[in-house]
Amino acid sequence: MFRSCVRPWRAALFLGTALVLTGCSRPSTLQEIRNEGVLHVIARLAPSIYHEGRDGPTGYDYELAQHLADELGVELRVRVAEDNTEILSVLDRNYAHIGMAGLSLQPGFEERYRALPTGIEAQSVVVYHRDLARPESIDALSGQVLHLVADSDHESPLSSLVQQGHALTWEVHPRLDAAGILARVESGEFSYAVVSSNELELNHVFYPHVKEAFALGEPRELVWLFPKQQDPTLYRAAASLLARLKDDGVLAQLSERFYGHLDQLNYVGARTFMHHVRNRLPKYEALFKEHAARFGMDWRLLAAIGYQESHWRPNAVSPTGVRGLMMLTRTTASHIGINNRLDASESILGGAKYLQMVYRKIPKRIPEPDRTWFALASYNVGFGHLEDARRLTEQAGKDPDRWMDVKEFLPLLAQKEWYSRTRFGYARGHEPVIYVQNIRRYYDVLSRITETAPDDTGELPQFASLETETSAAADTEAAPEQLAEAPSLGSPLPDDLGFIPPTL
């Protein structure tokens, strides 16, 4: 189903017919868009493309399309398609100006569309249920069925492998998206599947039983599709804009915003987090909402900080003396008027109040979401050390107002050759980087969970199932010394276990 009416496209077609009949020359595609005042885009729902976030529509492709609409001085109007098959059908009938399907250039596309790379690369990857033996090569899948979405990037490399002599079988599922495929691998209904690497990264935390085996071919850049029936004026305008956005660093900033935090939850961390969302968060959700509302902040961000600090444990105590659900120091608690750090309500109130204080110190000129990320880093390492890192960033010729630049320099505060040149000296600068990335990931998951309505059983469909064998252990109140060693609690993950929407 489409969410908006198709009449504007039909009106445009009728207008073109009328112009021909009256002998008038037809205006260019770009002029038609400006005359109507609307840029028509068709997309599918996906975290990487388009979805409704807490502040309205968002997604990497959506944000780029909004830049284009603003450049043209027109309204961006997005129609939502069920799947890529519908997107391609609409484009073939010239009922949309741009198609955003999350595809790379496929065989046969050149005759039907103009393709514009968008700056994101992805590749087809084979995934499997973790209880199965990992297939080490494509030949290990002989006799198995691979499952994939319709009109995807995956059939072309699979067909090429068959032509090379590999015995492969696959089944296409027209009514499923990547999340639907992953959900069925998670449940064991599908043993093996092929999905896009970027879709796997964005959804992996919800399906921790899904493992990646290997990639099919090299990464390829994803593209926007423009119907060949249009003249190239819109395509050229979009290509020119994206080239400028790349030169200005905007594309890199968008990539950081939507993808820069996706390596922060490994298998153990994801399962533990989901279990705690079910069993611990309900005890404190009302407090997060109450105190976040007092300071005009998103309660899910406050909850994400609480999880990063203590795994939502009100009696948590660290060896250095910070304690409580928000792990406040004695000095901080005294400064903001918190008497009992082990009281959950007081601790959450203190965390919200302190976050607001550090947020206000961040220069107002810094746009969101970077201002929030800087505030989180300051919450962790202190405003002075953050300013030191921003000065180092500026001295290196990079932008001190962009998180993606400053996070490269924060770890240098642990090296004498760098911290000796700063005002506030030594700091374990890698910790705020991990801290911010973890919170972004927790917030991302909480946002997507709370945006999803329960199904008929009352369950949230994006929750991954957790085996009962882990339930008791995951909910056991750990000792303080064990808490410091808990997975994904602020310590860097091993490189081989590494794993942004909606994002901040």
Side-chain angles (χ1 to χ4, degrees), residues 414-434:
Q415 302 176 29
K416 186 176 181 179
E417 63 179 302
W418 292 94
Y419 71 70
S420 61
R421 298 156 48 185
T422 66
R423 178 181 177 184
F424 292 92
Y426 172 85
R428 294 189 293 182
H430 67 282
E431 292 187 355
V433 175
I434 298 297

Side-chain angles (χ1 to χ4, degrees), residues 322-398:
V322 294
R323 57 179 60 200
L325 195 146
M326 302 298 285
M327 295 297 273
L328 302 174
T329 66
R330 184 186 300 275
T331 301
T332 299
S334 176
H335 179 66
I336 59 180
I338 299 301
N339 296 317
N340 184 1
R341 289 180 288 165
L342 296 181
D343 178 82
S345 180
E346 283 200 61
S347 184
I348 294 171
L349 171 61
K353 190 173 183 178
Y354 184 59
L355 178 61
Q356 184 192 58
M357 290 173 60
V358 298
Y359 181 85
R360 287 177 173 175
K361 288 185 177 181
I362 307 301
K364 292 182 180 179
R365 70 175 180 274
I366 298 177
E368 291 294 357
D370 292 64
R371 190 179 179 193
T372 294
W373 297 341
F374 281 129
L376 293 174
S378 179
Y379 186 103
N380 175 258
V381 77
F383 182 75
H385 291 305
L386 175 64
E387 286 297 284
D388 283 345
R390 293 182 64 228
R391 290 189 189 96
L392 292 176
T393 304
E394 187 173 32
Q395 291 166 10
K398 295 196 173 184

Side-chain angles (χ1 to χ4, degrees), residues 16 51 110 176 181 203 207 290 295 309 336 374 430 476:
H51 66 274
E110 294 91 340
L176 295 181
I181 294 288
N203 290 285
Y207 310 106
E290 174 189 349
F295 297 95
E309 293 287 356
I336 59 180
F374 281 129
H430 67 282
T476 301

Side-chain angles (χ1 to χ4, degrees), residues 107-169:
F109 275 12
E110 294 91 340
E111 292 77 24
R112 299 161 63 190
Y113 318 111
R114 293 182 178 88
L116 178 63
T118 61
I120 295 295
E121 288 189 339
Q123 59 192 138
S124 300
V125 293
V126 175
V127 296
Y128 65 101
H129 192 280
R130 67 180 301 113
D131 288 346
L132 300 173
R134 176 178 180 170
E136 298 296 334
S137 68
I138 196 67
D139 290 326
L141 296 171
S142 177
Q144 303 294 337
V145 177
L146 295 167
H147 299 270
L148 40 144
V149 300
D151 285 305
S152 66
D153 281 345
H154 318 314
E155 288 191 83
S156 177
L158 288 173
S159 297
S160 296
L161 288 168
V162 169
Q163 293 173 4
Q164 296 169 22
H166 298 282
L168 294 174
T169 303

Side-chain angles (χ1 to χ4, degrees), residues 181-252:
I181 294 288
L182 291 170
R184 284 158 177 79
V185 177
E186 171 78 17
S187 69
E189 180 181 347
F190 296 167
S191 297
Y192 304 96
V194 182
V195 296
S196 293
S197 57
N198 66 319
E199 303 256 28
L200 177 62
E201 290 172 353
L202 286 160
N203 290 285
H204 209 170
V205 64
F206 299 106
Y207 310 106
H209 287 89
V210 177
K211 294 194 71 175
E212 179 179 348
F214 53 83
L216 302 175
E218 298 299 317
R220 303 180 66 186
E221 199 162 8
L222 304 183
V223 298
W224 282 353
L225 299 173
F226 299 72
K228 270 292 183 69
Q229 295 96 316
Q230 300 174 8
D231 65 46
T233 52
L234 174 61
Y235 172 85
R236 291 170 183 165
S240 176
L241 173 66
L242 264 62
R244 292 202 312 274
L245 294 179
K246 182 178 181 179
D247 292 341
D248 295 342
V250 175
L251 284 186

